[in-house]
Amino acid sequence: MGVTEIVDTEPMRGATAGEGARPAGVRPMNHPEDLMKDPNNTRDVGPRVGTPLWLYLVSTTVAGCVLLGASVFWLGLDRLQTFAGEPLVWVLLGMVIAGELRPIAAQSADGDNGNPTSLPFSFALVIYFGLPVAGLVQALATVVAGGVRGHAPHRTAFNIAQYTLSFGVADAIIQFAYPRSAETAWVPQGWGLLLVALAGAAYFITNLTLVECAVAMHERAPLHKVLMKNIGQRLFVAGVLLSLAPLVVVAMAHSVWLVPLFFFPLAALYSSASLSVKREHQANHDELTGLANRKLLILRTQEALGEAQVHRGRVGLLLLDLDRFKEVNDTLGHPTGDRLLQTVAHRLTHSVRPGDLVARLGGDEFAVLLPQVRDAVSAREVATRLRVALAEPMRLDGMDFDLEASVGIALYPNHAPDFELLLQRADVAMYVAKERRTGVELYAPHKDRNSTARLSLFSELRRALIENELEMFYQPVVSLTDHRAVALEALVRWRHRHRGILPPEEFVPLVEQSYLMRSFTHEVIEQTLPQIARWWDEGIRLPVSVNLSARELLDPTLPEIVAAGLRRHGVRPGSLRLEISERVMVSDAEAITPTILALADLGVSLALDDFGTGYFTLARLNGLPVEEVKVDESFVRRISDTSDGRVIVGSAVDLMSTLGLRAVAEGVESDSDAESVRALGCYAAQGQYFTPPLDVAATTRWLYEHGGLAEQPSERTGSAG
Ligand code: C2E
Ligand code: MG
Ligand code: MG
């Protein structure tokens, strides 16, 4: 409903921009009264009628307004008119309004509290004239500032009441020790200053309690905890502001025109305080979405775990991952991807309760902390609500996006004792949710240790794809007649954070069994094609082959993915060669034939890989447009092993040339290997003997050093087909 409408029509602002449609975690740090603004709603909507919070707010508002009315009544109309004629009162009103618009935030991570810079002036009025005038001026200023800042009327009314009650307590203390009438202006001196300090303390405590009671109810957090949050910093700021009040009083007594001079020290105080709050905010929040970052999530989770330990409560950690976000990002560009993430962030924050924390862990991964959750059923409800909020199509750049997400849930104390393990378990649960396409999964300890290891490798792999840890290496294919490079084969590697460079057999099989296949193919294509283009521009114009697994070939959208990649990077189809393993031809020939034909139609060339590993006979190629056969390394080994082997391989290569296929030998490790495969009729070869697969820079170097650049056609972009 409303939530999503707001999202799609209202652009989100940056994390440090002003108020508006920002996630709860980045509410601007304003007034103590900010809680009147339900963080679960961008609109200024109060709590539901009849709830304890509602009752509290209503009764406080009524009490404050009654007190204000009574004190003004006690002042009387005559005296009110006299005050209205005083320029001093108007100057102070101006200062209070200005101060109301510039609150000094407390340094809290989610910024719910602040002191208005109007405090020195309004409190000076309490000291000088007493509650009625101070209350009235403050009420007027609150109405004006509330109007400017777009606060709802009920919120403004609460603010007025809160000030009146706090000033009332302070005034009562002064009146008790120093009874005075409304006409007599009081300039405290000597012991009077102590009285002012006492009144200031009373103001601070009353105001804090009034506000934090509501915050505690709102966030369902214990009152003492809310009260003590950032107490030192709050005390400091309030102390500084309140201590200015007697100075303002002295200025007031001396000359009304001295009062505006206080603007400057306050402006300096304001700007330095805002700067430090901004810095703290940046350190704890994600710049793009304004959501809490991992650091803040860890902190909050630890707090919640401590709390839950004491009260035997339960904490929930939800891990949410968008399905196929990387594709959106890579195909539509990062600006669109960024906006999508901001929209997601917005929807998520608007789907959780106050007190819950939504964080972005990086990429398209989000976490939600539920500091108090009844049971697994409630946690599931939240997870479902999050998914529903995301399921509403999003409109970006005139296009509709259907976003799906998978959520994994882990609970304290059921599944893990600390943050790290909770996150890991939630991650495993999320993987299960993706695998089974169930959307939401609660962590279930696996009996089988292997599957847990696999799951964790899997989740690492998922992260590797997001964080671009996969890298293409290239192995030159060398002509056996003149030793010039005739082609390159792209071979994927995983630069693992801890385990170093991992070869494909450690992870490609896992990729094949999972939903990550498409992202993986996408990654391979998106790394290889731009590289072909770069080499081409440098004058290295060799065809580059890319390996395709069975699962990739079974994806009917593969030809379109390849075609789009070629177009996007301006690569002529002839520069791309696709390798299809013989094993795939044995097991899935029929199913993949249409894909192979469609790929050939694009103009890319096809090669049969790993020839000799299965029971494939070339006759089964059956007219498929394959141009090249790569003789597997194990087959090559047989040449030198036995004379039989030599005959078998020799006749296979003969058959290839009869069928018009080029034969390339793999795994050539020595001079004699090279010589025998050449003698058997292979036109080119690759292997350690020439060079192992190399990273991009080393490949380029190798090609230059070995002067093996074959001549190729000169234009890069050719037409498909
Ligand atoms: P492949 O396509 O047959 O690749 C040739 C393999 O032989 C490569 O293993 C290469 O490093 C290795 N090799 C190179 N020189 C020698 C040598 O002198 N002796 C021996 N014994 N081997 C040599 P790598 O890079 O570990 O790749 C293994 C397989 O993983 C590839 O076999 C290919 O089927 C698959 N693969 C690699 N990259 C990708 C990819 O991006 N996508 C997919 N789907 N599969 C890939
Ligand atoms: Mg290959
Ligand atoms: Mg091979």
PDB file of all heavy atoms in Angstrom, residues 25 79 81 100 119 122 130 147-148 150 154 162-163 256 288 294 304 325 371 400 410 412 416 422 596 655 708:
ATOM      1  N   GLY A  25      16.561   4.164  10.092  1.00  0.00           N
ATOM      2  CA  GLY A  25      17.909   4.178  10.634  1.00  0.00           C
ATOM      3  C   GLY A  25      18.626   5.501  10.442  1.00  0.00           C
ATOM      4  O   GLY A  25      19.595   5.776  11.112  1.00  0.00           O
ATOM      5  N   ARG A  79      -1.825  42.211  31.549  1.00  0.00           N
ATOM      6  CA  ARG A  79      -0.374  42.030  31.562  1.00  0.00           C
ATOM      7  C   ARG A  79       0.124  41.420  30.240  1.00  0.00           C
ATOM      8  O   ARG A  79       1.212  41.717  29.775  1.00  0.00           O
ATOM      9  CB  ARG A  79       0.036  41.174  32.755  1.00  0.00           C
ATOM     10  CG  ARG A  79       0.196  42.052  34.015  1.00  0.00           C
ATOM     11  CD  ARG A  79       0.626  41.255  35.200  1.00  0.00           C
ATOM     12  NE  ARG A  79      -0.487  40.454  35.702  1.00  0.00           N
ATOM     13  CZ  ARG A  79      -0.439  39.733  36.820  1.00  0.00           C
ATOM     14  NH1 ARG A  79       0.673  39.688  37.520  1.00  0.00           N
ATOM     15  NH2 ARG A  79      -1.478  39.050  37.221  1.00  0.00           N
ATOM     16  N   GLN A  81      -1.073  42.098  27.375  1.00  0.00           N
ATOM     17  CA  GLN A  81      -0.959  43.213  26.418  1.00  0.00           C
ATOM     18  C   GLN A  81       0.319  44.011  26.668  1.00  0.00           C
ATOM     19  O   GLN A  81       0.994  44.427  25.733  1.00  0.00           O
ATOM     20  CB  GLN A  81      -2.183  44.122  26.541  1.00  0.00           C
ATOM     21  CG  GLN A  81      -3.305  43.663  25.616  1.00  0.00           C
ATOM     22  CD  GLN A  81      -4.588  44.441  25.850  1.00  0.00           C
ATOM     23  OE1 GLN A  81      -4.749  45.127  26.858  1.00  0.00           O
ATOM     24  NE2 GLN A  81      -5.505  44.310  24.906  1.00  0.00           N
ATOM     25  N   GLU A 100      14.647  26.989  17.258  1.00  0.00           N
ATOM     26  CA  GLU A 100      13.801  25.803  17.071  1.00  0.00           C
ATOM     27  C   GLU A 100      14.085  25.136  15.724  1.00  0.00           C
ATOM     28  O   GLU A 100      13.937  23.932  15.569  1.00  0.00           O
ATOM     29  CB  GLU A 100      12.321  26.193  17.113  1.00  0.00           C
ATOM     30  CG  GLU A 100      11.741  26.338  18.503  1.00  0.00           C
ATOM     31  CD  GLU A 100      11.740  25.026  19.260  1.00  0.00           C
ATOM     32  OE1 GLU A 100      11.241  24.032  18.707  1.00  0.00           O
ATOM     33  OE2 GLU A 100      12.258  24.976  20.387  1.00  0.00           O
ATOM     34  N   LEU A 119      17.022  26.930  23.329  1.00  0.00           N
ATOM     35  CA  LEU A 119      16.952  26.730  24.772  1.00  0.00           C
ATOM     36  C   LEU A 119      17.520  27.892  25.609  1.00  0.00           C
ATOM     37  O   LEU A 119      16.887  28.296  26.585  1.00  0.00           O
ATOM     38  CB  LEU A 119      17.625  25.396  25.134  1.00  0.00           C
ATOM     39  CG  LEU A 119      17.399  24.898  26.565  1.00  0.00           C
ATOM     40  CD1 LEU A 119      15.920  24.815  26.902  1.00  0.00           C
ATOM     41  CD2 LEU A 119      18.065  23.543  26.757  1.00  0.00           C
ATOM     42  N   SER A 122      14.653  30.578  25.536  1.00  0.00           N
ATOM     43  CA  SER A 122      13.399  30.242  26.206  1.00  0.00           C
ATOM     44  C   SER A 122      13.631  30.057  27.707  1.00  0.00           C
ATOM     45  O   SER A 122      12.823  30.480  28.527  1.00  0.00           O
ATOM     46  CB  SER A 122      12.770  28.991  25.591  1.00  0.00           C
ATOM     47  OG  SER A 122      13.726  27.972  25.507  1.00  0.00           O
ATOM     48  N   GLY A 130       9.276  34.150  34.081  1.00  0.00           N
ATOM     49  CA  GLY A 130       8.487  33.028  34.616  1.00  0.00           C
ATOM     50  C   GLY A 130       7.765  32.254  33.526  1.00  0.00           C
ATOM     51  O   GLY A 130       7.879  32.569  32.338  1.00  0.00           O
ATOM     52  N   GLY A 147       5.310  24.530  11.599  1.00  0.00           N
ATOM     53  CA  GLY A 147       4.746  24.810  10.274  1.00  0.00           C
ATOM     54  C   GLY A 147       5.827  24.762   9.211  1.00  0.00           C
ATOM     55  O   GLY A 147       5.673  24.131   8.161  1.00  0.00           O
ATOM     56  N   VAL A 148       6.958  25.402   9.514  1.00  0.00           N
ATOM     57  CA  VAL A 148       8.061  25.453   8.546  1.00  0.00           C
ATOM     58  C   VAL A 148       8.590  24.042   8.277  1.00  0.00           C
ATOM     59  O   VAL A 148       8.865  23.667   7.134  1.00  0.00           O
ATOM     60  CB  VAL A 148       9.209  26.350   9.081  1.00  0.00           C
ATOM     61  CG1 VAL A 148      10.434  26.236   8.171  1.00  0.00           C
ATOM     62  CG2 VAL A 148       8.746  27.797   9.174  1.00  0.00           C
ATOM     63  N   GLY A 150       7.015  21.332   8.626  1.00  0.00           N
ATOM     64  CA  GLY A 150       5.973  20.421   8.150  1.00  0.00           C
ATOM     65  C   GLY A 150       5.547  19.372   9.171  1.00  0.00           C
ATOM     66  O   GLY A 150       5.172  18.261   8.817  1.00  0.00           O
ATOM     67  N   HIS A 154      -0.685  17.337  15.748  1.00  0.00           N
ATOM     68  CA  HIS A 154      -0.621  16.633  17.030  1.00  0.00           C
ATOM     69  C   HIS A 154       0.807  16.610  17.572  1.00  0.00           C
ATOM     70  O   HIS A 154       1.049  16.621  18.758  1.00  0.00           O
ATOM     71  CB  HIS A 154      -1.176  15.215  16.901  1.00  0.00           C
ATOM     72  CG  HIS A 154      -0.349  14.338  16.005  1.00  0.00           C
ATOM     73  ND1 HIS A 154      -0.652  14.131  14.685  1.00  0.00           N
ATOM     74  CD2 HIS A 154       0.771  13.644  16.248  1.00  0.00           C
ATOM     75  CE1 HIS A 154       0.261  13.331  14.156  1.00  0.00           C
ATOM     76  NE2 HIS A 154       1.133  13.020  15.080  1.00  0.00           N
ATOM     77  N   GLN A 162       5.147  19.456  26.130  1.00  0.00           N
ATOM     78  CA  GLN A 162       6.393  18.965  26.721  1.00  0.00           C
ATOM     79  C   GLN A 162       7.251  20.132  27.251  1.00  0.00           C
ATOM     80  O   GLN A 162       7.791  20.078  28.348  1.00  0.00           O
ATOM     81  CB  GLN A 162       7.099  18.168  25.633  1.00  0.00           C
ATOM     82  CG  GLN A 162       8.535  17.880  25.838  1.00  0.00           C
ATOM     83  CD  GLN A 162       9.261  17.878  24.497  1.00  0.00           C
ATOM     84  OE1 GLN A 162       8.653  17.762  23.429  1.00  0.00           O
ATOM     85  NE2 GLN A 162      10.566  18.033  24.559  1.00  0.00           N
ATOM     86  N   TYR A 163       7.329  21.193  26.457  1.00  0.00           N
ATOM     87  CA  TYR A 163       8.082  22.371  26.902  1.00  0.00           C
ATOM     88  C   TYR A 163       7.416  22.998  28.115  1.00  0.00           C
ATOM     89  O   TYR A 163       8.075  23.372  29.084  1.00  0.00           O
ATOM     90  CB  TYR A 163       8.139  23.421  25.790  1.00  0.00           C
ATOM     91  CG  TYR A 163       9.209  23.168  24.769  1.00  0.00           C
ATOM     92  CD1 TYR A 163       8.895  23.066  23.419  1.00  0.00           C
ATOM     93  CD2 TYR A 163      10.540  23.057  25.155  1.00  0.00           C
ATOM     94  CE1 TYR A 163       9.872  22.849  22.472  1.00  0.00           C
ATOM     95  CE2 TYR A 163      11.528  22.840  24.207  1.00  0.00           C
ATOM     96  CZ  TYR A 163      11.179  22.736  22.870  1.00  0.00           C
ATOM     97  OH  TYR A 163      12.155  22.521  21.944  1.00  0.00           O
ATOM     98  N   VAL A 256      18.134  45.232  24.967  1.00  0.00           N
ATOM     99  CA  VAL A 256      17.504  44.222  24.121  1.00  0.00           C
ATOM    100  C   VAL A 256      18.383  43.888  22.911  1.00  0.00           C
ATOM    101  O   VAL A 256      18.401  42.765  22.425  1.00  0.00           O
ATOM    102  CB  VAL A 256      16.095  44.669  23.704  1.00  0.00           C
ATOM    103  CG1 VAL A 256      16.143  46.034  23.019  1.00  0.00           C
ATOM    104  CG2 VAL A 256      15.449  43.660  22.789  1.00  0.00           C
ATOM    105  N   LEU A 288      25.252   4.709   0.357  1.00  0.00           N
ATOM    106  CA  LEU A 288      24.253   4.679  -0.719  1.00  0.00           C
ATOM    107  C   LEU A 288      22.825   4.681  -0.193  1.00  0.00           C
ATOM    108  O   LEU A 288      21.987   5.451  -0.649  1.00  0.00           O
ATOM    109  CB  LEU A 288      24.489   3.441  -1.597  1.00  0.00           C
ATOM    110  CG  LEU A 288      23.461   3.238  -2.696  1.00  0.00           C
ATOM    111  CD1 LEU A 288      23.569   4.342  -3.735  1.00  0.00           C
ATOM    112  CD2 LEU A 288      23.639   1.881  -3.352  1.00  0.00           C
ATOM    113  N   ARG A 294      27.561  -2.761   8.528  1.00  0.00           N
ATOM    114  CA  ARG A 294      27.883  -3.968   9.280  1.00  0.00           C
ATOM    115  C   ARG A 294      28.337  -3.624  10.705  1.00  0.00           C
ATOM    116  O   ARG A 294      27.978  -4.308  11.660  1.00  0.00           O
ATOM    117  CB  ARG A 294      28.989  -4.739   8.543  1.00  0.00           C
ATOM    118  CG  ARG A 294      29.353  -6.058   9.158  1.00  0.00           C
ATOM    119  CD  ARG A 294      30.459  -6.706   8.382  1.00  0.00           C
ATOM    120  NE  ARG A 294      29.954  -7.342   7.181  1.00  0.00           N
ATOM    121  CZ  ARG A 294      29.669  -8.647   7.107  1.00  0.00           C
ATOM    122  NH1 ARG A 294      29.845  -9.414   8.144  1.00  0.00           N
ATOM    123  NH2 ARG A 294      29.213  -9.167   5.988  1.00  0.00           N
ATOM    124  N   ALA A 304      21.695  -6.341  21.751  1.00  0.00           N
ATOM    125  CA  ALA A 304      20.462  -7.134  21.833  1.00  0.00           C
ATOM    126  C   ALA A 304      20.729  -8.496  22.476  1.00  0.00           C
ATOM    127  O   ALA A 304      19.915  -8.987  23.266  1.00  0.00           O
ATOM    128  CB  ALA A 304      19.861  -7.308  20.436  1.00  0.00           C
ATOM    129  N   PHE A 325      20.145  -9.651  -8.743  1.00  0.00           N
ATOM    130  CA  PHE A 325      20.382  -8.214  -8.775  1.00  0.00           C
ATOM    131  C   PHE A 325      21.582  -7.867  -9.654  1.00  0.00           C
ATOM    132  O   PHE A 325      21.595  -6.867 -10.348  1.00  0.00           O
ATOM    133  CB  PHE A 325      20.595  -7.679  -7.366  1.00  0.00           C
ATOM    134  CG  PHE A 325      21.082  -6.267  -7.359  1.00  0.00           C
ATOM    135  CD1 PHE A 325      20.209  -5.224  -7.650  1.00  0.00           C
ATOM    136  CD2 PHE A 325      22.406  -5.970  -7.121  1.00  0.00           C
ATOM    137  CE1 PHE A 325      20.648  -3.927  -7.679  1.00  0.00           C
ATOM    138  CE2 PHE A 325      22.866  -4.672  -7.157  1.00  0.00           C
ATOM    139  CZ  PHE A 325      21.984  -3.646  -7.433  1.00  0.00           C
ATOM    140  N   PRO A 371      15.655  -7.315  17.700  1.00  0.00           N
ATOM    141  CA  PRO A 371      16.226  -7.434  19.041  1.00  0.00           C
ATOM    142  C   PRO A 371      15.316  -8.188  20.007  1.00  0.00           C
ATOM    143  O   PRO A 371      15.783  -8.769  20.964  1.00  0.00           O
ATOM    144  CB  PRO A 371      16.399  -5.990  19.497  1.00  0.00           C
ATOM    145  CG  PRO A 371      16.238  -5.159  18.283  1.00  0.00           C
ATOM    146  CD  PRO A 371      15.378  -5.925  17.346  1.00  0.00           C
ATOM    147  N   ASP A 400       9.525  -1.707 -15.415  1.00  0.00           N
ATOM    148  CA  ASP A 400       9.071  -2.344 -14.182  1.00  0.00           C
ATOM    149  C   ASP A 400      10.017  -3.471 -13.806  1.00  0.00           C
ATOM    150  O   ASP A 400      10.404  -4.267 -14.653  1.00  0.00           O
ATOM    151  CB  ASP A 400       7.665  -2.922 -14.378  1.00  0.00           C
ATOM    152  CG  ASP A 400       6.626  -1.840 -14.182  1.00  0.00           C
ATOM    153  OD1 ASP A 400       6.853  -0.979 -13.317  1.00  0.00           O
ATOM    154  OD2 ASP A 400       5.607  -1.859 -14.897  1.00  0.00           O
ATOM    155  N   ALA A 410      18.075 -16.846  11.480  1.00  0.00           N
ATOM    156  CA  ALA A 410      18.721 -17.559  12.585  1.00  0.00           C
ATOM    157  C   ALA A 410      18.326 -16.868  13.881  1.00  0.00           C
ATOM    158  O   ALA A 410      18.182 -15.643  13.910  1.00  0.00           O
ATOM    159  CB  ALA A 410      20.233 -17.548  12.420  1.00  0.00           C
ATOM    160  N   TYR A 412      18.734 -16.371  18.181  1.00  0.00           N
ATOM    161  CA  TYR A 412      19.459 -16.567  19.431  1.00  0.00           C
ATOM    162  C   TYR A 412      18.420 -16.896  20.491  1.00  0.00           C
ATOM    163  O   TYR A 412      17.378 -16.229  20.521  1.00  0.00           O
ATOM    164  CB  TYR A 412      20.209 -15.290  19.822  1.00  0.00           C
ATOM    165  CG  TYR A 412      20.720 -15.326  21.247  1.00  0.00           C
ATOM    166  CD1 TYR A 412      21.980 -15.824  21.541  1.00  0.00           C
ATOM    167  CD2 TYR A 412      19.909 -14.895  22.309  1.00  0.00           C
ATOM    168  CE1 TYR A 412      22.437 -15.883  22.851  1.00  0.00           C
ATOM    169  CE2 TYR A 412      20.366 -14.968  23.613  1.00  0.00           C
ATOM    170  CZ  TYR A 412      21.616 -15.456  23.884  1.00  0.00           C
ATOM    171  OH  TYR A 412      22.058 -15.530  25.173  1.00  0.00           O
ATOM    172  N   ALA A 416      22.531 -19.987  17.516  1.00  0.00           N
ATOM    173  CA  ALA A 416      23.911 -19.522  17.670  1.00  0.00           C
ATOM    174  C   ALA A 416      24.024 -18.601  18.875  1.00  0.00           C
ATOM    175  O   ALA A 416      23.064 -17.924  19.235  1.00  0.00           O
ATOM    176  CB  ALA A 416      24.350 -18.791  16.406  1.00  0.00           C
ATOM    177  N   LEU A 422      25.542 -16.355  14.223  1.00  0.00           N
ATOM    178  CA  LEU A 422      24.155 -16.072  13.828  1.00  0.00           C
ATOM    179  C   LEU A 422      24.110 -15.713  12.346  1.00  0.00           C
ATOM    180  O   LEU A 422      23.277 -16.212  11.588  1.00  0.00           O
ATOM    181  CB  LEU A 422      23.613 -14.893  14.616  1.00  0.00           C
ATOM    182  CG  LEU A 422      22.771 -15.146  15.866  1.00  0.00           C
ATOM    183  CD1 LEU A 422      22.338 -13.827  16.463  1.00  0.00           C
ATOM    184  CD2 LEU A 422      21.557 -16.006  15.563  1.00  0.00           C
ATOM    185  N   ILE A 596      22.844 -24.692 -29.395  1.00  0.00           N
ATOM    186  CA  ILE A 596      24.072 -24.663 -30.181  1.00  0.00           C
ATOM    187  C   ILE A 596      23.812 -24.027 -31.551  1.00  0.00           C
ATOM    188  O   ILE A 596      24.590 -23.184 -32.025  1.00  0.00           O
ATOM    189  CB  ILE A 596      24.635 -26.089 -30.351  1.00  0.00           C
ATOM    190  CG1 ILE A 596      25.104 -26.601 -28.979  1.00  0.00           C
ATOM    191  CG2 ILE A 596      25.776 -26.120 -31.355  1.00  0.00           C
ATOM    192  CD1 ILE A 596      25.665 -27.997 -29.003  1.00  0.00           C
ATOM    193  N   LEU A 655      40.352 -38.565 -38.915  1.00  0.00           N
ATOM    194  CA  LEU A 655      38.912 -38.436 -39.156  1.00  0.00           C
ATOM    195  C   LEU A 655      38.481 -36.978 -39.070  1.00  0.00           C
ATOM    196  O   LEU A 655      37.670 -36.506 -39.873  1.00  0.00           O
ATOM    197  CB  LEU A 655      38.125 -39.291 -38.149  1.00  0.00           C
ATOM    198  CG  LEU A 655      36.611 -39.253 -38.283  1.00  0.00           C
ATOM    199  CD1 LEU A 655      36.160 -39.710 -39.680  1.00  0.00           C
ATOM    200  CD2 LEU A 655      35.951 -40.130 -37.224  1.00  0.00           C
ATOM    201  N   GLY A 708      53.948 -13.643 -31.030  1.00  0.00           N
ATOM    202  CA  GLY A 708      53.037 -14.594 -31.653  1.00  0.00           C
ATOM    203  C   GLY A 708      51.723 -14.005 -32.090  1.00  0.00           C
ATOM    204  O   GLY A 708      50.691 -14.645 -31.960  1.00  0.00           O
TER     205      GLY A 708
END
